[in-house]
Amino acid sequence: MSVVKIPELVCPAGSLPALRAAVDGGADAVYLGLQNATNARNFPGLNFFIEDIRRGIEYARQRNAKIFLALNTYPQAENWVQWTSAVDIAADLNVDAVIMADPGLLSYAVKKYPSLRLHLSVQGSATNLHALTFYKEHFGVQRAVLPRVLSLQQVRAIIKIAPLEIEVFGFGSLCVMVEGRCALSSYVTGESPNTRGVCSPAHAVRWEETSAGRQVRLNGVLVDRYAPGEPAGYPTLCKGRYLVSAKADYAIEEPTSLSVLDILPDLISAGVTAIKVEGRQRSPAYVGQVTQVLRRALDRCGRDAGTYRPEPAWRETLDKLSEGQSHTLGALDRPWQ
Amino acid sequence: MGGEMKLALGPLAYYWPEQVMRDFYRQVESWPVDIVYLGEVVCAKRRNFGLDDWLETADRLSATGKEIVLSTLALVEAASELHALERICRNGRYRVEANDMAAVQVLSSEASFVVGPHLNCYNPATLGLLAGMGATRWVAPVEMSASMLNAIQLSDFEGVETEVLAYGRLPLAFSARCFTARDAGIPKDHCEFRCEKHPDGLRLSTQENQPLFTVNGVQLQSGLPCNLLDDLDTLRDSGVDVLRLMPQMHGMAQIVEVFHQAIHGHVGTMATLELLETLNPDGYCNGYWHGNEGMHWYPPTLRSE
């Protein structure tokens, strides 16, 4: 039996308790953001003050885990300094890596802090060899997170030739669109992941109880209508029920989560450097449970990927934490093709 | 602020039958557009027109004095798509619009290029970087407002023109999934080119029949076309050099003519808006330019307050 290199498990934290839950659950690295629009999960009450990051770094390092700071939104001319200050903060805190997307900001970081480790965020939207090479050659980016639009064969092919480490999403909410190039949210609400770090912002959501059942609107736009007793999810625009060709359906994607539990050995043999868990907006309990399941699954693969089978209990745990209590392989799988 | 604004016909986002495409670009020869963008931006499977067809069309249009730019695919995944992209970038005759960093990577060692709307260029640092690599024009991302653009334009990039999408359904998102095939209940691999049946895309509405998005294969566009006809003054004030009009099946000649006249100050704004109303009874949007949700429409009467 050959020894396989087990990918790093990279987990989300929207708060210090979530960071601790991730580290305790077995994360190799935890990623987090500052409390402003410099990161792609800019929600009220979420994310970190500088002092919290210091405490988080201390907690993580004592337990051999790393801390990555996500500065993965696109600065605009009016607020450029907020983003460069965030890079300065990252360098000052000596985080293990900064996750970025904007070429201008990457350029600032590499010029000012040549030893700062840079990862290309999924928001950087690099889906092919030349794009990855661009970020490697110009900014010395050492790792890229692939958008969730590639099939397993494509992931495999890219890793074979990629000039840097590749990280892929393993679990969590599924972006159907290529990340970093989706403006559905700002079309309806004025705020998007690229510019404000939010998708379908909570302040635009309105629930209504009607005689026909529950309805949910985003800035006045009817996203979904639920039958009595039907479970209702968060109204992201890509997972609503709309009319196309006169029938009301999930025209873009069902509310479901990505889970790679079933294909972990394939991803490992493809050579992924890291598996990322989505969900900085989730509770510490969620982060802890997902981290524990993936830790066990990865460790099992490490012992013997050939005989690896996900335990039913793992799948059950993850499905309970998933949108619509169901999971998908998304673009990694043939049904999308 | 330079001279008069130029008009550009953006790349065709839809999949039209070969003969329809030929006829369309034959008509374009006589239209008052200064720049024509040619090429497939949305889906690599659409091959009615190969690079040779595009180049032939380019030569014909170029002979009428128009500037030609070849546009590249926005979402590039497979190795075959990368090879096709390299061929376009190294065509040796026409400038190329890069819609993915892969194209920038190839073009930065070749010649001057256009930064397409699908590259995320939101600030002067990024634009400066791309200008240093050879960009001589950039198309603002769809989300760009007048005030965001003004702030960028403060760092005057000499030799870099600014283009803004001024008419047409906004390209909002791309996916690995084909939503047209999904609607038809068939897999993407065997899509039967169903998008050919929807020459202006497929309407996606809320359950209250509000037009929300337009399904166009792996792309989602805005439900309402953007229309900045009444914003010419602020576009000029923002230093915009080029207005991009996106091709659609019906009324395109009229739309081009209306914008051409408006740029030259020949037609009253209200009259032209009325003319456009008949083309799209659902209305238009211009929210992004005004710094708000893209779907919003700021009517001219309110805006002048």
Side-chain angles (χ1 to χ4, degrees):
Chain A
M1 194 182 76
S2 63
V3 180
V4 290
K5 185 156 170 26
I6 293 304
E8 203 173 75
L9 179 58
V10 183
C11 295
S15 66
L16 206 46
L19 182 152
R20 292 196 193 102
V23 171
D24 296 347
D28 297 302
V30 181
Y31 67 101
L32 43 87
L34 296 166
Q35 284 193 326
N36 56 36
T38 60
N39 81 93
R41 282 289 180 279
N42 178 25
F43 294 119
L46 205 66
N47 298 321
F48 287 72
F49 292 114
I50 295 171
E51 245 344 279
D52 292 333
I53 301 181
R54 279 192 216 286
R55 287 160 66 192
I57 289 174
E58 198 187 328
Y59 189 85
R61 293 219 170 121
Q62 281 167 358
R63 291 158 184 82
N64 277 327
K66 296 181 222 170
I67 296 291
F68 301 159
L69 187 67
L71 305 177
N72 55 346
T73 45
Y74 288 86
Q76 298 110 59
E78 298 110 312
N79 48 29
W80 172 251
V81 174
Q82 187 175 28
W83 269 259
T84 52
S85 303
V87 175
D88 298 340
I89 289 167
D92 183 51
L93 286 168
N94 194 24
V95 295
D96 295 285
V98 189
I99 308 169
M100 282 194 278
D102 182 65
L105 197 66
L106 280 161
S107 177
Y108 171 86
V110 71
K111 276 187 195 137
K112 195 155 179 203
Y113 308 104
S115 60
L116 190 60
R117 185 180 162 93
L118 305 179
H119 290 186
L120 182 70
S121 167
V122 69
Q123 296 293 119
S125 224
T127 51
N128 57 69
L129 174 65
H130 291 352
L132 292 167
T133 305
F134 174 87
Y135 291 101
K136 171 74 181 179
E137 279 184 4
H138 290 283
F139 317 113
V141 167
Q142 295 181 51
R143 180 186 296 181
V145 186
L146 292 183
R148 284 161 277 187
V149 291
L150 299 169
S151 68
L152 185 56
Q153 293 95 309
Q154 287 170 336
V155 171
R156 209 185 279 280
I158 281 188
I159 289 174
K160 271 192 190 137
I161 47 177
L164 35 57
E165 298 171 0
I166 295 294
E167 179 170 319
V168 297
F169 274 87
F171 185 80
S173 276
L174 177 68
C175 265
V176 183
M177 308 302 165
V178 59
E179 290 96 330
R181 293 200 249 166
C182 175
L184 299 186
S185 175
S186 63
Y187 180 67
V188 171
T189 71
E191 298 182 36
S192 76
N194 278 3
T195 57
R196 295 283 174 270
V198 289
C199 170
S200 309
H203 65 77
V205 175
R206 202 172 82 233
W207 293 94
E208 298 169 335
E209 300 296 340
T210 73
S211 53
R214 184 178 286 183
Q215 298 189 150
V216 63
R217 293 180 188 276
L218 199 61
N219 196 18
V221 169
L222 183 65
V223 174
D224 213 339
R225 185 177 269 168
Y226 302 92
E230 190 182 8
Y234 190 85
T236 44
L237 283 161
C238 55
K239 290 165 188 163
R241 271 179 288 197
Y242 306 112
L243 298 167
V244 184
S245 304
K247 50 182 194 287
D249 203 355
Y250 296 108
I252 305 169
E253 173 64 318
E254 282 91 5
T256 176
S257 288
L258 174 76
S259 175
V260 301
L261 206 56
D262 290 328
I263 59 160
L264 270 182
D266 300 302
L267 289 171
I268 292 169
S269 72
V272 301
T273 300
I275 301 273
K276 189 182 205 88
V277 173
E278 184 276 347
R280 278 185 287 149
Q281 73 280 25
R282 303 293 192 141
S283 68
Y286 172 98
V287 170
Q289 287 182 67
V290 175
T291 304
Q292 284 170 38
V293 168
L294 283 168
R295 179 76 277 154
R296 278 182 214 143
L298 283 168
D299 288 347
R300 181 76 54 84
C301 286
R303 284 198 293 277
D304 188 356
T307 61
Y308 166 88
R309 294 278 177 281
E311 280 184 18
W314 300 345
R315 203 179 271 141
E316 242 167 67
T317 303
L318 293 187
D319 277 353
K320 268 189 210 139
L321 300 167
S322 295
E323 271 186 82
Q325 279 77 52
S326 69
H327 65 268
T328 173
L329 283 167
L332 289 163
D333 196 17
R334 295 307 296 171
W336 262 45
Q337 310 296 314
Chain B
M1 297 295 159
E4 248 163 29
M5 283 192 285
K6 291 188 268 191
L7 277 188
L9 188 69
L12 173 66
Y14 308 108
Y15 195 48
W16 294 348
E18 187 186 341
Q19 195 53 47
V20 175
M21 282 171 79
R22 286 195 196 288
D23 294 346
F24 178 81
Y25 284 109
R26 277 287 193 182
Q27 290 177 51
V28 175
E29 288 172 32
S30 63
W31 291 357
V33 289
D34 307 285
I35 306 158
V36 182
Y37 289 84
L38 299 172
E40 178 57 55
V41 172
V42 177
C43 177
K45 291 181 73 176
R46 297 171 172 180
R47 292 195 188 113
N48 266 353
F49 255 49
L51 181 55
D52 291 343
D53 299 298
W54 287 117
L55 287 173
E56 193 192 312
T57 307
D59 291 346
R60 227 192 290 276
L61 285 161
S62 175
T64 68
K66 299 182 199 321
E67 180 201 326
I68 303 300
V69 183
L70 302 180
S71 297
T72 68
L73 204 62
L75 174 54
V76 184
E77 297 168 275
S80 58
E81 293 163 16
L82 264 191
H83 292 314
L85 179 136
E86 284 171 13
R87 279 185 66 211
I88 295 167
C89 292
R90 298 188 169 130
N91 76 86
R93 282 142 79 183
Y94 299 106
R95 199 148 49 136
V96 173
E97 172 184 81
N99 281 314
D100 184 89
M101 280 305 175
V104 175
Q105 176 68 10
V106 179
L107 290 162
S108 56
S109 58
E110 295 281 314
S112 82
F113 63 92
V114 178
V115 174
H118 306 298
L119 291 186
N120 284 329
C121 185
Y122 285 97
N123 57 64
T126 298
L127 183 54
L129 194 77
L130 292 165
M133 293 171 185
T136 46
R137 182 184 297 149
W138 73 293
V139 188
V142 293
E143 295 177 290
M144 191 71 67
S145 67
S147 83
M148 277 168 78
L149 187 61
N150 287 336
I152 293 181
Q153 304 286 54
L154 290 176
S155 342
D156 189 20
F157 292 101
E158 212 176 308
V160 181
E161 291 180 317
T162 300
E163 180 169 329
V164 167
L165 195 160
Y167 186 92
R169 289 178 203 91
L170 299 164
L172 295 178
F174 293 90
S175 176
R177 164 165 274 180
C178 175
F179 307 111
T180 305
R182 180 175 167 86
D183 176 64
I186 51 179
K188 183 179 164 194
D189 278 347
H190 308 284
C191 68
E192 301 166 10
F193 299 103
R194 288 294 179 104
C195 51
E196 211 179 66
K197 293 191 194 312
H198 309 288
D200 281 320
L202 181 57
R203 183 190 171 106
L204 181 153
S205 322
T206 69
Q207 293 183 53
E208 292 174 322
N209 280 313
Q210 178 185 0
L212 184 60
F213 301 128
T214 302
V215 169
N216 176 37
V218 298
Q219 183 190 51
L220 285 186
Q221 303 174 329
S222 59
L224 301 173
C226 167
N227 184 353
L228 302 186
L229 185 67
D230 199 57
D231 296 294
L232 288 184
D233 288 344
T234 55
L235 287 160
R236 267 195 203 101
D237 292 347
S238 303
V240 173
D241 304 285
V242 183
L243 298 183
R244 170 173 291 212
L245 315 178
M246 297 303 282
Q248 62 181 48
M249 185 60 111
H250 300 291
M252 203 60 215
Q254 276 171 288
I255 293 158
V256 168
E257 185 57 31
V258 161
F259 271 86
H260 175 73
Q261 296 288 341
I263 284 178
H264 294 87
H266 295 155
V267 178
T269 301
M270 285 313 290
T272 52
L273 280 176
E274 275 166 29
L275 182 64
L276 290 179
E277 242 175 51
T278 56
L279 282 175
N280 197 50
D282 285 332
Y284 296 95
C285 65
N286 58 7
Y288 278 134
W289 184 247
H290 292 268
N292 279 293
E293 56 268 45
M295 68 177 181
H296 201 79
W297 172 246
Y298 287 85
T301 45
L302 291 180
R303 266 175 281 153
S304 59
E305 282 176 3

